[in-house]
Amino acid sequence: MKLFRPAKSMKQTFPALIHQVLICLVLLWSPCLSQAAPRHVYLTWQHDTGTTITVNYQTLEEAETSEVHFDTESRNGKIGDYKFHTTGTRHKIEGLPDGRTIHWVELTQLKPGKTYYFVAGDSKNGFTTERKLQTIPDGTQKLRFVDGGDMGTGPALQPLMRQAALQEPNFAVVGGDIAYAGDVLANFGLWDRWLDGWEQCMVTPKGFTIPMVLAIGNHEVRGGAGHSPTNAVFYFRYFAQVHDRSFYSRKFGENFVIYLLDSGHITPHGGEQAAWLDAELETDRNFPYHFAVYHVPLYPAYRPFEGGGSVAGRNAWLPIFDKHHLTTGFEHHDHVFTRTKLLRNNQIDPQGTLYLGDGCWGQGARKVSDVLRWYEVKAASIQHFWLVDVSRSRVEYRAINKEGKTFDVYPPDAKGAAEAEKVYLSLPPPPPSNPKSPATSEDKDG
Ligand SMILES: [Fe+2]
Ligand SMILES: [Fe+2]
């Protein structure tokens, strides 16, 4: 094929030259199209966190297999060198404009607390670059996780993700309102941006890809609320967790269990979900620590205390939390920072549960009232995430902002608490990002 003809004049040939350059670029690019390596790769759990992990990945091209090759040593992406190989399942989301395929490959029979190197893909489309993961240790070792919610795809998202990854957490929990796609299929680009951010930023300094544990929020559900998983297609079909059910639990070693709850978005607080929570907490009573993660706060720091979602949560869950001495409730949805007093029976009680919130891991911080509510120790307009260290003997919590500064530490005798207090007092008040005042329980953009 003759791509370039002799030039007759500059006036005639310049457009033709541009055209020919474009043709060249297309030809140069075309071999790459058949090597369409996965668009995204990310880690979730469907089962035991010590011996399994699920590699989720997506391809824009059709695929005939879903493969992960892995090993306890790096093989630098040379497929034939990996000792282990597992295949999984793949599916599409009906109506998704680009027709992409979502692959779920669960690795099983892994050793707890071990490092594995892996690549995902298939021989026709290509594989990801090699990544590294670590399974959760199965004993009483100290573990670390981060929790936050209300992320979105704004400018604070990636700086906050990077700060979270710098802490070398074993995993990260998102308490709902993830990409703010509203389960509208045409919004798939928002999920792409959020997943791009996670893939790039949620890698620890030691090179571990951080697994995600996701709870559902109102922005994962079409219309903000629904009673069927078909109203939260991205949440259920992008992430291999618990298929078609919006509440579940995960155990991490021998020290703690996390209950991921649905604050009324797909499943009502009470009824089946409350009964399940009560039974699970009873079964798990020998674990020293129990954490609940859910979207709408029982003790909100921005919306009204009498808001519908908060009242429903307190009615359905507080008796269960109190009965089983829940350690901590991680709350979100209000886009502020808050730490409560210890609460039991909806009163201050030194033997009660701690509530931390309120979901501001990327979204702009709302303006809180200058007057603390009866249950609050602190409430402020600060974008942040919570860092949680769990050992056999105690749990420590640190709130960290976009600049990587720890501005709140609990309990007060934990390392760095006094310094954090100075940081907290020195932080300038943020510019008003949401002028709505007063807040209402009908505030739909949470
Ligand atoms: Fe939100
Ligand atoms: Fe929300």
Side-chain angles (χ1 to χ4, degrees), residues 270-289:
E272 180 197 358
Q273 182 174 204
W276 168 87
L277 178 63
D278 192 16
E280 289 287 306
L281 280 161
E282 181 62 29
T283 303
D284 300 336
R285 63 186 179 281
N286 290 331
F287 285 79
Y289 306 110

Side-chain angles (χ1 to χ4, degrees), residues 3 64 116-117 143 159 162 172 191 206 219 250 363 368 399 410 427 436 444:
L3 290 176
E64 288 166 9
Y116 291 89
Y117 299 80
L143 290 176
R162 283 194 198 95
W191 280 110
K206 289 179 182 165
H219 283 281
R250 290 283 174 263
Q363 288 294 295
V368 294
Y410 184 85
L427 289 175
K436 289 177 187 171
K444 295 273 191 202

Side-chain angles (χ1 to χ4, degrees), residues 150 177 218-219 295 333 446:
D150 304 270
D177 284 5
N218 53 300
H219 283 281
H295 189 59
H333 184 56

